[in-house]
Amino acid sequence: MLTKEELPGCGVATTVQMIVSKWKLLILRNLLQRPWRFNELKKDLEGISHKVLMDSLRSMEADGIISRTVYAEVPPRV
């Protein structure tokens, strides 16, 4: 996560800097429709690797763009 000093002064530039990757835009497109499970996202976004999806989701969660909900169920659901 960037510090306040590292972020641009303009809100639009800040937003673009946070979602600059192609995959983050596609992930956000899907998450705006409904909550998705990790494997559902991976199957829907053809060509994305496990590592890139995980890193993108963690980065967006750290930036406060998305939130992660863990359900206490068997099998585990996030």
Side-chain angles (χ1 to χ4, degrees):
M1 185 172 184
L2 299 174
T3 64
K4 187 174 181 178
E5 293 78 30
E6 295 172 330
L7 293 173
C10 173
V12 173
T14 301
T15 303
V16 169
Q17 187 172 357
M18 289 179 146
I19 58 171
V20 72
S21 105
K22 151 184 134 173
W23 293 115
K24 285 184 181 179
L25 288 174
L26 295 174
I27 292 167
L28 283 175
R29 177 200 64 189
N30 285 5
L31 291 177
L32 287 173
Q33 297 172 6
R34 64 178 175 87
W36 290 67
R37 295 179 72 148
F38 182 86
N39 284 329
E40 288 178 316
L41 277 173
K42 190 166 183 326
K43 287 177 186 173
D44 190 67
L45 301 171
E46 294 179 19
I48 191 168
S49 70
H50 182 89
K51 181 183 180 346
V52 170
L53 180 56
M54 182 62 69
D55 289 346
S56 297
L57 290 171
R58 285 184 180 156
S59 170
M60 289 190 293
E61 184 181 14
D63 290 337
I65 298 171
I66 62 172
S67 62
R68 180 176 186 246
T69 305
V70 178
Y71 299 95
E73 297 178 349
V74 175
R77 179 172 67 127
V78 177

